[in-house]
Amino acid sequence: MSRAVVLPYFDLLLEALGRGNPVLAAAFGRHVHWGYWPDPGVADGSVADFVAAAERLCVRVCDAGGARDGQRILDVGCGFGGTLMSLNERFSSVELVGLNIDPRQLERARRDVQVRPGNRVDFQEGDACRMPFPDAWFDVVLAIECAFHFESRARFLAEARRVLRPGGRLALCDFVPAPVMAPFVAPSKRMLRAYFERFSGQSDFSTTLDRYRALGREAGLSPVHEEDITRGTLPTYPVVRRVLRELDREVGVAVAGAAAMELASRLGLLRYVILAFDRR
Ligand SMILES: C[S@@+](CC[C@H](N)C(=O)[O-])C[C@H]1O[C@@H](n2cnc3c(N)ncnc32)[C@H](O)[C@@H]1O
């Protein structure tokens, strides 16, 4: 990897995918993020329903980014390339670039993408906080459920602004604490130390929505879209808790961490937001 980023859950996931686990391959073989249900009441708890909801979340963030035909689009923290696959299926004459710090994920993404004629897709290894791209290169930058892993959101936002053309747009989804929760994020993290050390890896859930706006402004980005979709993501948790039992190791800490996130989300202490910013 480009720098010492340790994400144990990807080690576990890649191990399970490597030995052909069909449940994990179905749930997380394309997107490695939560699902979105406009009406959470209709979620049926199946993996197939979750997969459709994960695609819906991806489409919603891409739409918030204003993705369309003919653009040059960067997906930061691109996982197994699911977002670029979705864009490649939906749009024409697009130039799509995926950036990830983990070359093993990129290898899988390169293997699985089926580029449609007229589109271009490229995957590059690199760090969201030190992007290997020229200034003003992209129309849209996306970051789906990954900014909490980055060394610094401020640095990432500054980099996103640098690589966007004037008027270009950054769209992302991320977990933010409710203001009342902010002082308790660090103590909660200490309580869940085993989860962060042995499963989630470096993760920072301390940036409130107000702080995000301020960081955006400081980076030269104007907020243009804010959406709290927490309620629509809640059906993710029962599916993920079940699917995590398919891992070879660390099932206990993984399920405990997911349960803690579910509780905090149900209590309104942890929010799932889609944000978009325009480069001024
Ligand atoms: C929860 S996964 C989301 C993956 C993908 N965006 C998706 O939605 O399927 C988080 C991703 O962020 C990537 N990541 C973590 N730190 C990174 C960094 N500093 N630079 C680039 N990618 C990073 C991880 O390797 C992983 O692919």
Side-chain angles (χ1 to χ4, degrees):
M1 295 199 203
S2 310
R3 44 181 288 277
V5 168
V6 181
L7 300 174
Y9 70 104
F10 265 101
D11 298 343
L12 292 162
L13 184 55
L14 284 161
E15 266 172 48
L17 295 176
R19 65 178 162 72
N21 181 292
V23 178
L24 287 162
F28 293 124
R30 172 167 161 126
H31 297 296
V32 188
H33 61 234
W34 281 184
Y36 170 68
W37 290 259
D39 175 3
V42 305
D44 69 10
S46 68
V47 169
D49 184 50
F50 168 69
V51 168
E55 179 67 24
R56 217 177 284 126
L57 178 85
C58 158
V59 167
R60 204 163 177 101
V61 179
C62 293
D63 288 353
R68 57 177 185 273
D69 290 345
Q71 288 180 324
R72 185 181 285 153
I73 302 177
L74 170 66
D75 182 32
V76 179
C78 67
F80 296 138
T83 299
L84 293 197
M85 291 172 198
S86 173
L87 290 165
N88 171 56
E89 288 154 15
R90 293 172 66 210
F91 298 110
S92 301
S93 307
V94 279
E95 197 178 318
L96 307 172
V97 181
L99 180 74
N100 201 328
I101 203 147
D102 182 353
R104 300 166 307 170
Q105 296 174 43
L106 293 172
E107 203 178 299
R108 200 181 151 89
R110 287 188 190 106
R111 185 198 71 188
D112 290 351
V113 70
Q114 295 187 350
V115 185
R116 288 176 54 230
N119 289 345
R120 286 177 60 187
V121 180
D122 184 28
F123 291 99
Q124 287 199 37
E125 185 181 341
D127 187 336
C129 297
R130 296 164 192 79
M131 294 193 206
F133 306 114
D135 295 355
W137 191 248
F138 294 101
D139 300 296
V140 177
V141 173
L142 303 165
I144 299 198
E145 229 177 88
C146 50
F148 51 85
H149 284 315
F150 301 161
E151 187 188 349
S152 150
R153 282 188 183 77
R155 183 80 197 128
F156 160 63
L157 291 170
E159 276 294 86
R161 193 228 179 241
R162 181 184 68 74
V163 302
L164 276 171
R165 65 162 174 75
R169 181 168 294 186
L170 164 69
L172 58 87
C173 52
D174 199 357
F175 296 95
V176 299
V180 65
M181 179 64 191
F184 303 105
V185 172
S188 312
K189 216 172 151 182
R190 280 196 293 276
M191 274 171 55
L192 291 166
R193 213 171 88 194
Y195 169 72
F196 287 106
E197 285 181 6
R198 287 159 45 193
F199 188 76
S200 157
Q202 172 177 301
S203 304
D204 174 4
F205 298 124
S206 67
T207 303
T208 60
L209 190 49
D210 264 358
R211 181 76 189 127
Y212 238 119
R213 290 187 196 114
L215 290 174
R217 272 194 302 275
E218 284 161 24
L221 295 164
S222 307
V224 290
H225 180 98
E226 288 178 2
E227 204 182 349
D228 181 337
I229 59 160
T230 312
R231 193 171 161 270
T233 64
L234 293 178
T236 298
Y237 290 98
V239 184
V240 163
R241 274 192 274 112
R242 206 174 63 243
V243 163
L244 288 175
R245 296 188 184 282
E246 300 282 326
L247 293 172
D248 288 331
R249 295 174 284 110
E250 308 295 7
V251 169
V253 284
V255 171
M261 287 181 77
E262 176 174 11
L263 181 65
S265 303
R266 288 196 185 277
L267 293 174
L269 299 174
L270 186 66
R271 301 198 173 139
Y272 196 110
V273 293
I274 297 178
L275 306 177
F277 302 85
D278 278 355
R279 180 187 157 165
R280 288 202 289 269

